[in-house]
C-alpha cells in the first residue's frame, strides 16, 4: 500500500490539474504492476480506465462500449479504487443481474487485494424479492402440516437455512418463492431484523459516505433510489457518491420502465383497501369507510372481469402485454372521489407506525393514478394487461422515461459512466453510433471511442444463415417450427451437441423441447431446457457435463459465460424483434419518423449482439453462430441485412451448409474435448 500512500498523501488540497495528473499516473502505475500480479492487460482496458478518470476529473458523463474480452469490470474497477481513495466517497456500481453483481464483487476483492487495498468496504445490494422474510415464514409455517412443501420451505427460512433465494440448490419457482420473500418490510419494527440479510444490506447501502467504499446494486435498486429522491423522500442509497457506473447499460431503459410501472391485481387492490380502512378505523369509527371500500371493490371486480376476457381473447402466450378494451358501466368519477377521500384521510393520520401509513398512502395514490388512466384523464401514461403468476394484472407506466433520467441521473451532480459490450449501432460518427441509447435514455455527456473485442473472430468463428426455413407467420407457425427444428437438429449434429439455442418466444422453446424429447426425432445428444427462476447454474452445469443442447430464452441472451469447447455453437432461432403490438413499442413507433429502422431494428440489434456474444468467450474459443431466420438471407433482400452484418463481429458468413461443415472440420470443432 506504500505506493498508494505516497501518491495520495497531499491529494486533499490538489487543484484539478494536479488531481488529473495524479489519477492518470495512478492508472499507469496499476497497469505497470499487472505482470507482477499475474494479470494480463487486455487491449482497450487501459484506455477505458483513462476515459473514466477523465470523466470524473472533469465532472462529465461518459458512454463507453467495451467489447467482449477486454476485461470491462477491471477496466472500471481500477480507476474506481483510485477515485475512492482520493475522494473518500463511495462508488456506486449498478448492474442488470444478480450474477453480474456477485461477479463484480469478487473482481473487486481480487484486484483490490492485489493492488494493496486491504480495507475495501463493499456491499452487494439486491431487490427485496431476493431475500427471505422470517416474519412471513413464521406466519406461513403450520405445525399440523410440517411436511407440506410450503411448511417445509417456511421452516428452513425460520431455521436460518435460507437467507436468500440463491441459497436454494436447484432453484425454486417464482410462485413458491413469493410466499416467503421480503414484501412490505417492517424494518425497525421487525422481530427478526438483527439476523436479516435484507435489513443489514439496506443499512449498509444507506451508510454515510465515510462508512462504505463500494456499493454494488442492481439497476432496479438504483432507479428506485432516484425515484424516491425525486419525490423528496429519503433515498435508499447513500448520498454524494464520487462516481456512478452503470454496467450492462443497454438494459437501463427497460429497467427504468419496469421500476416506474405500477401493477395492479384484484387481490392487491382489495388488500390495499382493507389496510387503509383498518388503519383509519383505529382513529375513527366512521362506517362510511366500509361502504366506500365495498363500492370500489365491486367496480374493481367488474374491471378485472373484462380484463380476464381481453386476455383470453388476445394473449397468445404468458406475459404478453395486450391492449385493454374500453371499460363501460363503471362510475370512474365516483371511484376516484372515494379514493381521494381515503388518501386525504391517510395523509393526516398520525401513528407510531408511520412507515405502514406511508406504504398504504403510496399504494392508494397508485390506485388513483390507475383510475385516472382508465378514465382517459392521464394521457402521459401507457396502460396494458398481462397475466403474471397466474393472475390478471393491469400495468401503467409513464410514456417518456428519458426526461426522468435526464433530471435525476444525468444532471451533472455526479459523473455517470454507462458501459456495455453492446451499445452502438452503425453510423459514421460516435454520436450516430450511440444515438439509439442516447435518445431512449435522455443521455447528456461524452461519447468515448468504442473498445472492440480482442478476440479473433475471423479465424475462430463462422456465421451461418439458413436460407430455406420458411419465414415465420403466426398462421403457419407449425410449418415454420417443424422446418426450423429439422435444421436445428442438423446443426447440432454437426457440432456433436455443445449448442446453446436462443429463443425469443418461450412458446417456441416449449414446442421444440417437446419435439426433441418425444422420441420422434433421433439425436445422440442430451437435451436440456432452462429452469424457472433467476439462477441457471444447475442447468448450465448439466449442459457442460453432457456436452448436449441447451434450449433457452430470456436470461440466457446475456450474462452467460461458457468458455471452452463445451459450447461450440449458438443458434438464434428467430431474430429478436420486439412485438409490434406491445404498448411500449407501439408508443415508441408512434413518435418516430421511420419506426421500423429507428425503433425495431436498433432494439433487435442490441439483443442480437448480446445473444451472439455468448459464443466466443476467450482467445482460444472456436465456434459457429447459426441464425435460423431466413429474413436475414441474401434472397430475402431485407434493408437491415447489411446493418446486421456490419454490426456483428463475424467476418466469415455463409448460407451454404457444406461451407459451414468444411469450416467445422478444418478447425477441429467436432473433435474438441
Amino acid at each position: 500500500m506504500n505506493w498508494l500512500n505516497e501518491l495520495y498523501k497531499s491529494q486533499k488540497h490538489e487543484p484539478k490539474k494536479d488531481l488529473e495528473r495524479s489519477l492518470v499516473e495512478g492508472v499507469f502505475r496499476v497497469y505497470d504492476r499487472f505482470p507482477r500480479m499475474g494479470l494480463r492487460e487486455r487491449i482497450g482496458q487501459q484506455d477505458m480506465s483513462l476515459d473514466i478518470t477523465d470523466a470524473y476529473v472533469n465532472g462529465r458523463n461518459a458512454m463507453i462500449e467495451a467489447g467482449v474480452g477486454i476485461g470491462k469490470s477491471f477496466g472500471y474497477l481500477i480507476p474506481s479504487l483510485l477515485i475512492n481513495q482520493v475522494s473518500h466517497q463511495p462508488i456506486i456500481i449498478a448492474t442488470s443481474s444478480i450474477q453480474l453483481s456477485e461477479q463484480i464483487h469478487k473482481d473487486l476483492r481480487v484486484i483490490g487485494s492485489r493492488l494493496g487495498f486491504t480495507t475495501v468496504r463493499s456491499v452487494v445490494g439486491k431487490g427485496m424479492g431476493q431475500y427471505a422474510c422470517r416474519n412471513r415464514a413464521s406466519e406461513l409455517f403450520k405445525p399440523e402440516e410440517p411436511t407440506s412443501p410450503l411448511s417445509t420451505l417456511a421452516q428452513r427460512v425460520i431455521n436460518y437455512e435460507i437467507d436468500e433465494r440463491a441459497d436454494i440448490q436447484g432453484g425454486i419457482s417464482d410462485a413458491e418463492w413469493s410466499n416467503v420473500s421480503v414484501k412490505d418490510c417492517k424494518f425497525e419494527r421487525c422481530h427478526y431484523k438483527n439476523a436479516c440479510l435484507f435489513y443489514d444490506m439496506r443499512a449498509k447501502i444507506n451508510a454515510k459516505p465515510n462508512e462504505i467504499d463500494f456499493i454494488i446494486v442492481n439497476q432496479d435498486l438504483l432507479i428506485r433510489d432516484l425515484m424516491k429522491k425525486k419525490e423528496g423522500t429519503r433515498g435508499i442509497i447513500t448520498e454524494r457518491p464520487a462516481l456512478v457506473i452503470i454496467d450492462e447499460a443497454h438494459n437501463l431503459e427497460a429497467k427504468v420502465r419496469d421500476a416506474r410501472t405500477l401493477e395492479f391485481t384484484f387481490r392487491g387492490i382489495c388488500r390495499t383497501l382493507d389496510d387503509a380502512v383498518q388503519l383509519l378505523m383505529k382513529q375513527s369509527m366512521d362506517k362510511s369507510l366500509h361502504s366506500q371500500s365495498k363500492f370500489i371493490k365491486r367496480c374493481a371486480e367488474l374491471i378485472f372481469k373484462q380484463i380476464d376476457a381481453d386476455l383470453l381473447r388476445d394473449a397468445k402466450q404468458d406475459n404478453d402485454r395486450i391492449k385493454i378494451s374500453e371499460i363501460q358501466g363503471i362510475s370512474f368519477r365516483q371511484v376516484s372521489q372515494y379514493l381521494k377521500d381515503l388518501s386525504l384521510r391517510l395523509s393526516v393520520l398520525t401513528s407510531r407506525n408511520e412507515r405502514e401509513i406511508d406504504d398504504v398512502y403510496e399504494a392508494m395514490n397508485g390506485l388513483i393514478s390507475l383510475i385516472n388512466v382508465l378514465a382517459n384523464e392521464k394521457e402521459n401514461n401507457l396502460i396494458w394487461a398481462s397475466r403474471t403468476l397466474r393472475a390478471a394484472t393491469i400495468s401503467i407506466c409513464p410514456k417518456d422515461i428519458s426526461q426522468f433520467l435526464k433530471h435525476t441521473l444525468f444532471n451533472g451532480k455526479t459523473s455517470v459512466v454507462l458501459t456495455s459490450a453492446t451499445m452502438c449501432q452503425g453510423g459514421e460518427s460516435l454520436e450516430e453510433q450511440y444515438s439509439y441509447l442516447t435518445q431512449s435514455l435522455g443521455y447528456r455527456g461524452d461519447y468515448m471511442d468504442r473498445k472492440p473485442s480482442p478476440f479473433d473472430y475471423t479465424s475462430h468463428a463462422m456465421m451461418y444463415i439458413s436460407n430455406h426455413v420458411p419465414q415465420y407467420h403466426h398462421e403457419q407457425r407449425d410449418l415454420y417450427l417443424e422446418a426450423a427444428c429439422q435444421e436445428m437438429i442438423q446443426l447440432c449434429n454437426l457440432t456433436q451437441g455443445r449448442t446453446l439455442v436462443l429463443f425469443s418466444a418461450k412458446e417456441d422453446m416449449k414446442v421444440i423441447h417437446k419435439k426433441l424429447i418425444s422420441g420422434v426425432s433421433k439425436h445422440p445428444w442430451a437435451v436440456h431446457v432452462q429452469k424457472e427462476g433467476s439462477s441457471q447454474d444447475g442447468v448450465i452445469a448439466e449442459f457442460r457435463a453432457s456436452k448436449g443442447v441447451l434450449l433457452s430464452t430470456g436470461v440466457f441472451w446475456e450474462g452467460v459465460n461458457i468458455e471452452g469447447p463445451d459450447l461450440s455453437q449458438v443458434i438464434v432461432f428467430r431474430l429478436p424483434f420486439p412485438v409490434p403490438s406491445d404498448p411500449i413499442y407501439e408508443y415508441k413507433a408512434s413518435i418516430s419518423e421511420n419506426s421500423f429502422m429507428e425503433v425495431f431494428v436498433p432494439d433487435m440489434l442490441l439483443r442480437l449482439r448480446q445473444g451472439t456474444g455468448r459464443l466466443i468467450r476467450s482467445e482460444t474459443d472456436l465456434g459457429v453462430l447459426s441464425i435460423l431466420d431466413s429474413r436475414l438471407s441474401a434472397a430475402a433482400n431485407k434493408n437491415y441485412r447489411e446493418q446486421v452484418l456490419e454490426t456483428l463481429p463475424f467476418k466469415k458468413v455463409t448460407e451454404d451448409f457444406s461451407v459451414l461443415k468444411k469450416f467445422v472440420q478444418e478447425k477441429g470443432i467436432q473433435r474438441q474435448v
Side-chain angles (χ1 to χ4, degrees):
M1 196 67 175
N2 291 338
W3 70 280
L4 288 172
N5 291 334
E6 180 67 25
L7 190 60
Y8 300 122
K9 63 184 179 182
S10 61
Q11 201 68 69
K12 218 169 188 179
H13 307 290
E14 284 189 351
K16 177 179 169 182
K17 188 170 278 188
D18 291 334
L19 172 64
E20 182 175 19
R21 186 183 65 251
S22 295
L23 283 172
V24 168
E25 286 178 0
V27 169
F28 282 130
R29 291 186 70 169
V30 168
Y31 282 102
D32 286 344
R33 292 167 62 89
F34 261 40
R36 281 176 280 165
M37 294 188 296
L39 299 172
R40 184 165 58 83
E41 183 189 346
R42 305 289 183 88
I43 296 172
Q45 192 180 64
Q46 184 169 288
D47 288 343
M48 182 180 183
S49 295
L50 292 171
D51 285 344
I52 293 170
T53 300
D54 181 73
Y56 168 73
V57 170
N58 293 291
R60 301 280 292 170
N61 301 321
M63 263 192 185
I64 310 172
E65 178 172 290
V68 176
I70 77 158
K72 174 162 49 80
S73 61
F74 277 24
Y76 59 68
L77 286 175
I78 287 167
S80 296
L81 281 161
L82 301 178
I83 290 167
N84 170 253
Q85 178 83 3
V86 302
S87 67
H88 305 291
Q89 292 174 275
I91 308 294
I92 295 174
I93 300 174
T95 73
S96 63
S97 69
I98 294 168
Q99 291 88 345
L100 185 57
S101 296
E102 299 284 8
Q103 184 58 52
I104 291 168
H105 198 233
K106 290 176 185 175
D107 290 346
L108 177 62
R109 299 247 177 243
V110 168
I111 195 70
S113 63
R114 292 192 185 184
L115 289 176
F117 292 88
T118 54
T119 56
V120 177
R121 299 163 298 177
S122 58
V123 59
V124 176
K126 306 171 190 174
M128 64 170 61
Q130 294 300 320
Y131 296 89
C133 177
R134 292 194 172 84
N135 186 60
R136 294 187 71 199
S138 64
E139 295 173 356
L140 189 67
F141 177 66
K142 296 180 180 179
E144 67 275 13
E145 299 176 16
T147 59
S148 72
L150 276 181
S151 277
T152 301
L153 175 63
Q155 189 167 32
R156 291 184 67 196
V157 172
I158 295 167
N159 292 343
Y160 298 93
E161 294 176 40
I162 298 172
D163 285 308
E164 51 185 302
R165 187 171 183 167
D167 293 334
I168 302 176
Q169 290 189 347
I172 185 173
S173 71
D174 293 340
E176 288 178 288
W177 180 249
S178 66
N179 291 294
V180 295
S181 59
V182 176
K183 187 178 183 182
D184 302 326
C185 182
K186 293 183 177 180
F187 291 95
E188 294 82 7
R189 295 179 289 106
C190 182
H191 175 69
Y192 299 94
K193 67 178 182 180
N194 292 331
C196 176
L197 281 193
F198 172 71
Y199 183 83
D200 181 62
M201 177 274 294
R202 287 292 289 265
K204 285 180 178 176
I205 67 173
N206 207 356
K208 294 177 182 177
N210 61 351
E211 294 174 350
I212 194 79
D213 299 316
F214 279 80
I215 299 170
I216 305 168
V217 296
N218 54 36
Q219 291 176 14
D220 309 78
L221 209 55
L222 174 67
I223 295 157
R224 184 72 179 152
D225 176 67
L226 295 175
M227 289 168 62
K228 282 186 168 291
K229 288 170 181 172
K230 182 176 183 292
E231 292 162 0
T233 58
R234 187 185 178 193
I236 303 170
I237 305 175
T238 187
E239 301 280 353
R240 297 188 358 258
L243 182 69
V244 176
I245 295 172
I246 301 180
D247 201 347
E248 303 299 316
H250 62 278
N251 284 318
L252 186 59
E253 181 193 1
K255 294 289 187 181
V256 173
R257 286 200 184 279
D258 287 347
R260 301 202 72 202
T261 295
L262 299 178
E263 294 185 340
F264 305 89
T265 62
F266 177 63
R267 287 182 63 183
I269 290 172
C270 291
R271 186 168 58 247
T272 295
L273 291 167
D274 290 342
D275 290 345
V277 170
Q278 186 177 9
L279 284 170
L280 292 170
M281 287 293 286
K282 288 178 181 179
Q283 294 194 8
S284 168
M285 299 305 293
D286 187 348
K287 293 182 180 180
S288 67
L289 292 169
H290 290 292
S291 61
Q292 287 179 347
S293 176
K294 285 180 181 178
F295 178 80
I296 298 168
K297 285 181 181 179
R298 282 198 302 272
C299 291
E301 187 176 11
L302 291 173
I303 291 169
F304 277 91
K305 187 175 181 180
Q306 180 177 312
I307 297 299
D308 275 318
D310 288 345
L311 287 165
L312 191 64
R313 183 183 65 248
D314 299 331
K316 295 181 176 64
Q317 60 184 19
D318 292 344
N319 298 325
D320 268 2
R321 295 167 172 169
I322 66 160
K323 291 180 182 177
I324 296 173
S325 56
E326 186 179 352
I327 295 174
Q328 298 178 336
I330 302 292
S331 176
F332 287 115
R333 182 171 295 179
Q334 187 66 64
V335 174
S336 180
Q337 183 179 326
Y338 282 161
L339 287 172
K340 287 176 181 176
D341 179 53
L342 291 170
S343 176
L344 180 62
R345 293 185 187 213
L346 286 167
S347 69
V348 297
L349 193 63
T350 56
S351 169
R352 284 182 293 178
N353 302 332
E354 286 187 15
R355 195 185 291 271
E356 186 179 356
I357 295 171
D358 288 345
D359 290 343
V360 177
Y361 176 73
E362 185 178 343
M364 192 64 63
N365 287 338
L367 285 179
I368 294 170
S369 295
L370 171 65
I371 294 303
N372 289 339
V373 173
L374 286 170
N376 297 316
E377 291 182 10
K378 287 188 76 172
E379 296 181 354
N380 60 339
N381 277 260
L382 299 172
I383 183 167
W384 65 85
S386 60
R387 195 176 296 281
T388 56
L389 294 178
R390 295 189 284 272
T393 304
I394 304 175
S395 302
I396 60 173
C397 80
K399 286 180 176 178
D400 184 12
I401 61 102
S402 64
Q403 291 300 311
F404 167 77
L405 288 174
K406 186 180 290 185
H407 297 299
T408 60
L409 187 62
F410 307 121
N411 54 19
K413 292 181 180 179
T414 301
S415 292
V416 178
V417 175
L418 302 179
T419 186
S420 166
T422 56
M423 303 181 79
C424 295
Q425 311 283 325
E428 294 183 8
S429 68
L430 284 174
E431 190 171 356
E432 288 174 340
Q433 292 168 19
Y434 286 106
S435 63
Y436 181 64
L437 278 185
T438 297
Q439 292 167 12
S440 299
L441 300 176
Y443 173 76
R444 295 186 292 190
D446 297 333
Y447 306 103
M448 301 303 183
D449 288 334
R450 299 167 70 174
K451 319 299 186 233
S453 170
F455 298 154
D456 186 359
Y457 282 88
T458 303
S459 299
H460 289 190
M462 177 174 278
M463 177 175 169
Y464 168 72
I465 301 170
S466 178
N467 58 17
H468 55 273
V469 174
Q471 291 189 25
Y472 179 89
H473 296 288
H474 186 70
E475 299 75 21
Q476 298 178 312
R477 180 167 172 260
D478 293 342
L479 181 67
Y480 162 79
L481 289 174
E482 180 59 35
C485 184
Q486 293 308 312
E487 180 80 337
M488 189 195 83
I489 291 171
Q490 182 179 220
L491 288 163
C492 293
N493 286 338
L494 180 64
T495 56
Q496 298 172 343
R498 295 174 297 163
T499 298
L500 175 66
V501 187
L502 297 173
F503 293 85
S504 51
K506 192 177 286 186
E507 295 304 309
D508 288 354
M509 182 181 74
K510 289 178 180 177
V511 171
I512 297 301
H513 183 234
K514 191 173 181 180
K515 284 178 180 290
L516 292 176
I517 64 173
S518 65
V520 176
S521 302
K522 300 295 182 184
H523 48 79
W525 24 265
V527 178
H528 307 276
V529 66
Q530 76 175 74
K531 300 289 192 294
E532 184 180 342
S534 58
S535 177
Q536 301 295 331
D537 294 345
V539 73
I540 290 174
E542 292 170 8
F543 162 72
R544 299 192 76 150
S546 74
K547 304 205 171 20
V549 173
L550 175 54
L551 310 181
S552 62
T553 185
V555 295
F556 276 86
W557 281 83
E558 54 185 275
V560 174
N561 185 25
I562 306 175
E563 288 187 24
D566 291 343
L567 178 62
S568 296
Q569 180 173 211
V570 168
I571 295 178
V572 174
F573 206 75
R574 259 200 288 159
L575 292 175
F577 281 106
V579 179
S581 59
D582 184 300
I584 290 173
Y585 288 98
E586 193 173 57
Y587 165 71
K588 292 179 75 172
S590 71
I591 58 172
S592 63
E593 293 183 11
N594 183 345
S595 61
F596 187 70
M597 295 305 295
E598 293 175 13
V599 176
F600 292 98
V601 169
D603 195 274
M604 179 273 290
L605 273 171
L606 284 179
R607 195 168 183 217
L608 181 63
R609 291 186 68 198
Q610 280 292 321
T612 57
R614 301 311 99 211
L615 181 63
I616 304 296
R617 306 297 299 176
S618 73
E619 290 87 345
T620 58
D621 276 1
L622 301 168
V624 173
L625 169 69
S626 299
I627 297 181
L628 307 187
D629 196 325
S630 58
R631 288 176 294 182
L632 203 57
S633 66
N637 199 30
K638 297 293 185 182
N639 58 354
Y640 53 83
R641 172 183 158 90
E642 289 306 315
Q643 191 173 345
V644 171
L645 297 182
E646 178 191 348
T647 305
L648 296 181
F650 300 88
K651 305 307 176 188
K652 290 180 178 176
V653 181
T654 184
E655 297 182 19
D656 188 333
F657 187 82
S658 64
V659 173
L660 178 69
K661 185 175 182 180
K662 184 179 179 183
F663 172 81
V664 169
Q665 291 171 341
E666 286 178 349
K667 294 297 178 182
I669 293 174
Q670 289 177 324
R671 296 188 299 276
Q672 291 185 84
V673 291

